Amino acid sequence: MTNRPSPALTRRTFLASAGAVIAAAGGVSPLPAVPRARAAGPREFRLTLGTGSARIAPEPYPETEVWAYNRTVPGPEIRVRQGERLRIVAENGLDEPTTVHWHGMRVPNAMDGVPGVTQDAIAPGDRFVYEFDAVDAGTFWYHPHQRSFEQVARGLSGALVVEEAEPLRVDRDVTWVLDDWRLTEEAAIEGDFGNAHDAIHAGRLGNTVTVNGRIPDRFAVRRGERIRLRLVNVANARIFGLAFAGHEPLVVALDGQPVEPHAPEGGRIVLGPAMRADIVLDMTGRTGERHTVTDTFYEGLEYRLTDLAYGGEALRERTPDWPVALPANPLAEPDLDAAERHEVVFNGGMMAGMRMQGADGREAGSMMAMMREGSFWFINGKAATGTDMEPVLTLRRNRSHIISMVNRTGWYHPMHLHGHSFRVISRNGVPTARREWQDTVLVGPEERVEVALVADNPGDWMFHCHILEHQAAGMMAVIRVA
Ligand code: C2O
Ligand code: CU
């Protein structure tokens, strides 16, 4: 109800239909190859940040001025094997400081890329060398953690795939980096970053949705083909709800972590900002057919994302019977009976009469004062400004913990914890069916979600909403593991 994106979304239809047909937005990346491994030692990569232009909207629109890693939007897909060590040199060619955060990767704290918490921001012209092991196999991504509401929105993000020692057997392994841009009629990025309206509502929802940096028209497939599709939501604020008409996707991993293979609830795959899903998709259509992939998340604003376009020869007539379950990652299993309990309460955002639900008089008064200063979201009554990052919780190391997240707002919040994955164990008191491991959990309006984890990665870790405008307007905190 209240979570309506701006009506500007309709402009996307205009952009999408006005132009020429674009080639399939598949897994084949047009990007220059990232330097390959040396014989031994870490795999080396280089990420150079700079400005450039990208063809986001089709002709006759001009190219869009972007900020990019290695001059491509999204940045190059980094791909390694589980157990390998990565060494990534990030060179800042922007005019402002930045960092790189490896979203979902369980890295040592000093490699986590949070300015003022785990490192100093990388100044313009400087570099920082990140080095860490790929502990978990799965689909991850990277992005700046410095003024991310603008840096990410201008094009800085990329996928990071860690392959299993023995990957699932499929015909194609494809990544779709899903993004959402707010473009002008000239296909330039709107410069209205950090405005209060976005901050207090659903965040910076755009009007142009892309797959791997392009407005997709069709995705070429063949009958009988089995595809592992890695969906990554790098949008600032848009939640996707993808339905594959005529097909039966099986979700095999969420946020990089294997999950018992299952059909998505309600037939659509819901991904809040920063979330990922790996799906196994069997192409059961017939040559010549087109089947639509629709995003149905926001009621009344459904749109066609792309089509699965069947061409060429059928690959096989029957669905392969290859296994779809992924091997588990080395995550410590929380002991729910022995777990220590914690609660975090979210307040804020636009609401009727601006009352602070669930807050007592004094707390509500102090939140109102902070709102006058541009902080609109609160975790346990506090809006973080980035300077005073005293931990909201301290978790005893190597113990099991249950964190109960209580959303006293009328809005969705994809809540992300750095350095760990957690099991989502209940929603509104009802145990979840699959106790999925996530690093980002979408908490619905007025919902209470419980997660459980073993706090086995020491350090100060960010815990924040991944709607980047909510984060910037206070919805972040530090959770200390000590
Ligand atoms: Cu994807 Cu704190 O970030
Ligand atoms: Cu939020």
Side-chain angles (χ1 to χ4, degrees), residues 17-77:
S17 57
V21 171
I22 301 193
V28 188
S29 134
L31 320 176
V34 170
R36 301 303 290 185
R38 289 180 299 172
R43 299 276 307 270
E44 300 233 9
F45 302 90
R46 186 172 296 268
L47 289 178
T48 305
L49 289 83
T51 56
S53 60
R55 171 140 304 285
I56 290 170
E59 306 266 15
Y61 289 93
E63 294 197 336
T64 302
E65 296 304 312
V66 297
W67 297 358
Y69 293 110
N70 297 3
R71 304 181 138 270
T72 62
V73 168
E77 179 173 297

Coordinates of all heavy atoms in Angstrom, one line a residue, residues 17-77:
S17 N 10.3 0.5 -25.1 CA 9.7 0.2 -26.3 C 10.1 1.1 -27.4 O 9.9 0.8 -28.6 CB 8.1 0.3 -26.1 OG 7.8 1.6 -25.7
A18 N 10.7 2.2 -27.1 CA 11.1 3.2 -28.1 C 12.3 2.8 -28.9 O 12.4 3.2 -30.1 CB 11.4 4.5 -27.4
G19 N 13.1 1.9 -28.4 CA 14.4 1.7 -29.1 C 14.4 0.4 -29.9 O 13.4 -0.3 -30.0
A20 N 15.5 0.1 -30.4 CA 15.7 -1.0 -31.2 C 15.9 -2.3 -30.4 O 16.0 -2.2 -29.2 CB 17.0 -0.9 -32.1
V21 N 15.7 -3.4 -31.0 CA 15.9 -4.7 -30.2 C 17.3 -4.8 -29.8 O 18.3 -4.5 -30.6 CB 15.5 -5.8 -31.2 CG1 15.8 -7.2 -30.5 CG2 14.0 -5.8 -31.5
I22 N 17.5 -5.3 -28.6 CA 18.9 -5.5 -28.0 C 19.2 -6.9 -28.0 O 18.3 -7.8 -27.8 CB 19.0 -4.9 -26.6 CG1 18.6 -3.4 -26.6 CG2 20.3 -5.1 -26.0 CD1 19.0 -2.7 -25.4
A23 N 20.4 -7.3 -28.2 CA 20.8 -8.7 -28.1 C 20.5 -9.2 -26.8 O 20.3 -8.5 -25.8 CB 22.3 -8.8 -28.4
A24 N 20.4 -10.5 -26.7 CA 20.0 -11.2 -25.5 C 21.0 -10.8 -24.4 O 22.2 -10.8 -24.6 CB 20.1 -12.7 -25.7
A25 N 20.4 -10.5 -23.2 CA 21.3 -10.2 -22.1 C 21.6 -11.5 -21.4 O 20.9 -12.0 -20.5 CB 20.5 -9.3 -21.1
G26 N 22.6 -12.2 -21.9 CA 22.9 -13.5 -21.3 C 24.1 -13.5 -20.4 O 24.4 -12.5 -19.9
G27 N 24.6 -14.6 -20.2 CA 25.8 -14.7 -19.3 C 27.1 -14.3 -20.0 O 28.1 -14.1 -19.4
V28 N 27.0 -14.2 -21.4 CA 28.2 -13.9 -22.1 C 28.5 -12.4 -21.8 O 27.8 -11.6 -22.3 CB 28.1 -14.1 -23.6 CG1 29.4 -14.0 -24.3 CG2 27.5 -15.5 -23.8
S29 N 29.6 -12.2 -21.1 CA 29.8 -10.8 -20.7 C 30.7 -10.1 -21.8 O 31.6 -10.7 -22.3 CB 30.5 -10.8 -19.4 OG 31.6 -9.9 -19.4
P30 N 30.4 -8.9 -22.2 CA 31.2 -8.2 -23.2 C 32.4 -7.6 -22.5 O 33.1 -6.7 -23.1 CB 30.2 -7.1 -23.6 CG 29.4 -6.8 -22.4 CD 29.3 -8.1 -21.6
L31 N 32.8 -8.0 -21.3 CA 33.8 -7.3 -20.6 C 35.2 -7.9 -20.9 O 35.3 -9.1 -21.2 CB 33.5 -7.5 -19.1 CG 32.1 -7.4 -18.7 CD1 31.9 -7.7 -17.2 CD2 31.5 -6.1 -19.0
P32 N 36.2 -7.0 -20.8 CA 37.5 -7.6 -21.0 C 37.8 -8.6 -19.9 O 37.3 -8.5 -18.8 CB 38.4 -6.3 -20.8 CG 37.6 -5.3 -20.1 CD 36.1 -5.6 -20.4
A33 N 38.6 -9.6 -20.2 CA 38.9 -10.6 -19.3 C 39.6 -10.1 -18.1 O 40.5 -9.2 -18.2 CB 39.7 -11.7 -19.9
V34 N 39.3 -10.6 -16.9 CA 40.0 -10.2 -15.7 C 41.3 -11.1 -15.7 O 41.3 -12.2 -16.1 CB 39.1 -10.5 -14.5 CG1 39.9 -10.4 -13.2 CG2 37.9 -9.6 -14.5
P35 N 42.4 -10.5 -15.3 CA 43.7 -11.3 -15.3 C 43.5 -12.6 -14.6 O 42.8 -12.7 -13.6 CB 44.6 -10.4 -14.5 CG 44.1 -9.0 -14.6 CD 42.6 -9.2 -14.8
R36 N 44.0 -13.7 -15.2 CA 43.8 -15.0 -14.7 C 44.8 -15.3 -13.5 O 45.7 -14.5 -13.2 CB 44.0 -16.0 -15.8 CG 43.0 -15.8 -16.9 CD 41.6 -15.8 -16.4 NE 41.1 -17.1 -16.0 CZ 39.9 -17.4 -15.7 NH1 39.0 -16.5 -15.7 NH2 39.5 -18.6 -15.3
A37 N 44.7 -16.5 -13.0 CA 45.5 -16.9 -11.9 C 46.9 -17.1 -12.3 O 47.3 -17.4 -13.4 CB 44.9 -18.2 -11.4
R38 N 47.7 -16.9 -11.3 CA 49.1 -17.4 -11.4 C 49.1 -18.9 -11.0 O 48.1 -19.4 -10.5 CB 50.0 -16.6 -10.4 CG 50.3 -15.2 -10.8 CD 51.2 -14.5 -9.9 NE 50.5 -14.5 -8.5 CZ 51.2 -14.1 -7.4 NH1 52.4 -13.7 -7.5 NH2 50.5 -14.0 -6.3
A39 N 50.2 -19.5 -11.2 CA 50.2 -21.0 -11.0 C 49.9 -21.3 -9.5 O 49.1 -22.2 -9.2 CB 51.6 -21.5 -11.3
A40 N 50.5 -20.5 -8.6 CA 50.2 -20.7 -7.2 C 49.9 -19.4 -6.6 O 50.0 -18.4 -7.2 CB 51.4 -21.4 -6.5
G41 N 49.5 -19.4 -5.3 CA 49.2 -18.2 -4.6 C 47.8 -17.7 -5.0 O 47.1 -18.4 -5.6
P42 N 47.5 -16.5 -4.5 CA 46.1 -16.0 -4.7 C 45.8 -15.7 -6.1 O 46.7 -15.4 -6.9 CB 46.1 -14.7 -3.8 CG 47.5 -14.4 -3.5 CD 48.3 -15.6 -3.7
R43 N 44.6 -15.7 -6.5 CA 44.1 -15.3 -7.8 C 44.1 -13.8 -7.8 O 43.5 -13.2 -6.9 CB 42.7 -15.8 -8.1 CG 42.6 -17.3 -8.1 CD 42.9 -17.9 -9.4 NE 42.2 -17.2 -10.5 CZ 41.0 -17.7 -11.0 NH1 40.5 -18.7 -10.5 NH2 40.4 -17.0 -12.0
E44 N 44.7 -13.2 -8.8 CA 44.8 -11.7 -8.8 C 43.8 -11.0 -9.7 O 43.6 -11.5 -10.8 CB 46.2 -11.3 -9.3 CG 47.3 -11.9 -8.4 CD 48.3 -10.9 -7.9 OE1 48.0 -9.7 -8.1 OE2 49.3 -11.2 -7.3
F45 N 43.2 -10.0 -9.2 CA 42.3 -9.2 -10.0 C 42.6 -7.7 -9.8 O 43.1 -7.4 -8.7 CB 40.8 -9.5 -9.6 CG 40.5 -11.0 -9.7 CD1 40.6 -11.8 -8.6 CD2 39.9 -11.5 -10.9 CE1 40.3 -13.2 -8.7 CE2 39.6 -12.8 -11.0 CZ 39.8 -13.7 -9.9
R46 N 42.2 -7.0 -10.7 CA 42.4 -5.5 -10.6 C 41.0 -4.9 -10.9 O 40.4 -5.2 -11.9 CB 43.4 -5.1 -11.6 CG 43.8 -3.6 -11.5 CD 45.0 -3.3 -12.4 NE 46.2 -4.1 -12.0 CZ 47.1 -3.6 -11.2 NH1 47.0 -2.4 -10.7 NH2 48.1 -4.4 -10.9
L47 N 40.6 -4.0 -10.0 CA 39.4 -3.2 -10.2 C 39.8 -1.8 -10.3 O 40.2 -1.2 -9.3 CB 38.4 -3.5 -9.1 CG 37.7 -4.8 -9.0 CD1 36.7 -4.9 -7.8 CD2 36.9 -5.1 -10.3
T48 N 39.6 -1.1 -11.4 CA 39.9 0.3 -11.5 C 38.6 1.1 -11.7 O 37.8 0.8 -12.6 CB 40.8 0.5 -12.8 OG1 42.0 -0.4 -12.7 CG2 41.3 1.9 -12.9
L49 N 38.5 2.0 -10.7 CA 37.2 2.8 -10.7 C 37.4 4.0 -11.6 O 38.5 4.7 -11.5 CB 36.8 3.2 -9.3 CG 36.3 2.1 -8.4 CD1 37.5 1.3 -7.8 CD2 35.4 2.6 -7.4
G50 N 36.5 4.4 -12.3 CA 36.5 5.6 -13.1 C 35.2 5.9 -13.7 O 34.2 5.3 -13.5
T51 N 35.2 7.1 -14.4 CA 34.0 7.5 -15.1 C 34.0 7.0 -16.5 O 35.1 6.7 -17.1 CB 33.8 9.0 -15.0 OG1 35.0 9.6 -15.6 CG2 33.7 9.5 -13.6
G52 N 32.9 6.9 -17.1 CA 32.8 6.5 -18.5 C 31.4 6.5 -19.0 O 30.5 7.1 -18.3
S53 N 31.1 6.0 -20.1 CA 29.8 5.9 -20.6 C 29.4 4.5 -21.0 O 30.2 3.7 -21.4 CB 29.6 6.9 -21.8 OG 30.4 6.5 -22.8
A54 N 28.1 4.2 -20.8 CA 27.6 2.9 -21.1 C 26.3 2.9 -21.9 O 25.6 3.9 -21.7 CB 27.4 2.1 -19.8
R55 N 26.1 1.9 -22.7 CA 24.9 1.9 -23.5 C 23.9 1.2 -22.6 O 23.8 0.0 -22.6 CB 25.1 1.2 -24.8 CG 23.8 1.0 -25.5 CD 23.7 1.3 -27.0 NE 24.1 2.6 -27.5 CZ 23.4 3.7 -27.4 NH1 22.2 3.7 -26.8 NH2 23.8 4.8 -28.0
I56 N 23.1 1.9 -21.9 CA 22.1 1.4 -21.0 C 20.7 1.3 -21.8 O 20.1 0.3 -21.9 CB 22.0 2.1 -19.7 CG1 23.2 1.9 -18.9 CG2 20.7 1.8 -18.9 CD1 23.4 2.7 -17.7
A57 N 20.3 2.5 -22.3 CA 19.1 2.5 -23.1 C 19.5 2.3 -24.6 O 20.6 2.7 -25.0 CB 18.4 3.9 -22.9
P58 N 18.6 1.8 -25.3 CA 18.9 1.5 -26.7 C 19.0 2.8 -27.6 O 18.5 3.8 -27.1 CB 17.8 0.6 -27.2 CG 16.6 0.9 -26.3 CD 17.2 1.3 -25.0
E59 N 19.6 2.7 -28.7 CA 19.4 3.8 -29.7 C 18.0 4.1 -29.9 O 17.2 3.2 -29.8 CB 20.0 3.3 -31.1 CG 21.4 2.8 -31.0 CD 22.5 3.9 -31.3 OE1 22.1 5.1 -31.3 OE2 23.6 3.5 -31.6
P60 N 17.6 5.3 -30.1 CA 18.4 6.5 -30.4 C 18.8 7.2 -29.1 O 19.3 8.4 -29.3 CB 17.4 7.3 -31.2 CG 16.1 7.0 -30.7 CD 16.1 5.6 -30.3
Y61 N 18.6 6.6 -28.0 CA 19.1 7.3 -26.8 C 20.6 7.4 -26.8 O 21.3 6.5 -27.3 CB 18.6 6.6 -25.5 CG 17.2 6.7 -25.3 CD1 16.3 5.8 -25.8 CD2 16.6 7.8 -24.7 CE1 14.9 5.9 -25.7 CE2 15.3 8.0 -24.5 CZ 14.4 7.0 -25.0 OH 13.1 7.1 -24.9
P62 N 21.1 8.5 -26.2 CA 22.6 8.6 -26.1 C 23.1 7.6 -25.0 O 22.3 7.0 -24.3 CB 22.9 10.0 -25.7 CG 21.6 10.5 -25.1 CD 20.5 9.7 -25.7
E63 N 24.4 7.4 -25.0 CA 24.9 6.6 -23.9 C 24.8 7.3 -22.6 O 24.6 8.5 -22.6 CB 26.4 6.2 -24.2 CG 26.5 5.3 -25.4 CD 27.9 4.6 -25.5 OE1 28.9 5.2 -24.9 OE2 28.0 3.6 -26.1
T64 N 24.9 6.6 -21.5 CA 24.7 7.2 -20.2 C 26.1 7.3 -19.5 O 26.9 6.4 -19.5 CB 23.8 6.2 -19.4 OG1 22.6 6.1 -20.1 CG2 23.5 6.8 -18.0
E65 N 26.3 8.5 -18.9 CA 27.5 8.7 -18.2 C 27.4 7.9 -16.9 O 26.4 8.1 -16.1 CB 27.7 10.2 -17.8 CG 27.9 11.1 -19.0 CD 29.1 10.6 -19.9 OE1 30.2 10.3 -19.3 OE2 28.9 10.5 -21.1
V66 N 28.4 7.1 -16.6 CA 28.3 6.2 -15.4 C 29.7 6.3 -14.7 O 30.6 6.8 -15.2 CB 28.1 4.7 -15.8 CG1 26.7 4.6 -16.4 CG2 29.2 4.2 -16.7
W67 N 29.6 5.7 -13.5 CA 30.9 5.4 -12.7 C 31.0 3.9 -12.8 O 30.0 3.2 -12.6 CB 30.8 5.8 -11.3 CG 30.6 7.3 -11.1 CD1 30.6 8.3 -12.1 CD2 30.5 8.0 -9.9 NE1 30.5 9.5 -11.6 CE2 30.4 9.4 -10.2 CE3 30.4 7.7 -8.5 CZ2 30.2 10.4 -9.2 CZ3 30.2 8.6 -7.6 CH2 30.2 10.0 -7.9
A68 N 32.2 3.4 -13.1 CA 32.3 2.0 -13.4 C 33.6 1.4 -12.9 O 34.6 2.0 -12.7 CB 32.3 1.8 -14.9
Y69 N 33.5 0.1 -12.7 CA 34.7 -0.7 -12.4 C 35.2 -1.2 -13.8 O 34.4 -1.8 -14.6 CB 34.4 -2.0 -11.6 CG 34.0 -1.7 -10.1 CD1 32.7 -1.9 -9.7 CD2 34.9 -1.3 -9.2 CE1 32.3 -1.7 -8.4 CE2 34.5 -1.0 -7.9 CZ 33.2 -1.3 -7.5 OH 32.8 -1.0 -6.2
N70 N 36.5 -1.0 -14.1 CA 37.1 -1.5 -15.4 C 36.2 -1.1 -16.6 O 36.1 -1.8 -17.5 CB 37.3 -3.0 -15.4 CG 38.3 -3.4 -14.3 OD1 38.7 -2.6 -13.5 ND2 38.6 -4.7 -14.2
R71 N 35.6 0.1 -16.5 CA 34.9 0.7 -17.6 C 33.7 -0.1 -18.1 O 33.2 0.1 -19.2 CB 35.8 0.9 -18.8 CG 37.0 1.8 -18.5 CD 37.9 2.0 -19.6 NE 38.4 3.4 -19.6 CZ 37.8 4.4 -20.2 NH1 36.7 4.2 -20.9 NH2 38.3 5.6 -20.2
T72 N 33.2 -1.0 -17.2 CA 32.0 -1.7 -17.6 C 30.9 -1.7 -16.6 O 31.2 -1.6 -15.4 CB 32.3 -3.2 -17.9 OG1 32.8 -3.8 -16.7 CG2 33.4 -3.3 -19.0
V73 N 29.7 -1.7 -17.0 CA 28.5 -1.7 -16.1 C 27.7 -2.9 -16.4 O 27.2 -3.0 -17.6 CB 27.7 -0.4 -16.3 CG1 26.4 -0.5 -15.6 CG2 28.5 0.8 -15.7
P74 N 27.5 -3.8 -15.5 CA 28.1 -3.9 -14.2 C 29.6 -4.2 -14.3 O 30.1 -4.4 -15.4 CB 27.4 -5.1 -13.5 CG 26.9 -5.9 -14.6 CD 26.6 -5.0 -15.8
G75 N 30.3 -4.1 -13.2 CA 31.7 -4.4 -13.2 C 32.0 -5.9 -13.6 O 31.0 -6.6 -13.8
P76 N 33.2 -6.2 -13.9 CA 33.5 -7.6 -14.4 C 33.1 -8.6 -13.4 O 33.2 -8.4 -12.2 CB 35.0 -7.6 -14.6 CG 35.5 -6.5 -13.7 CD 34.5 -5.4 -13.7
E77 N 32.6 -9.7 -13.9 CA 32.2 -10.8 -13.0 C 33.5 -11.5 -12.5 O 34.3 -11.9 -13.3 CB 31.3 -11.8 -13.7 CG 31.0 -13.0 -12.7 CD 30.0 -13.9 -13.4 OE1 28.8 -13.5 -13.6 OE2 30.3 -15.1 -13.6

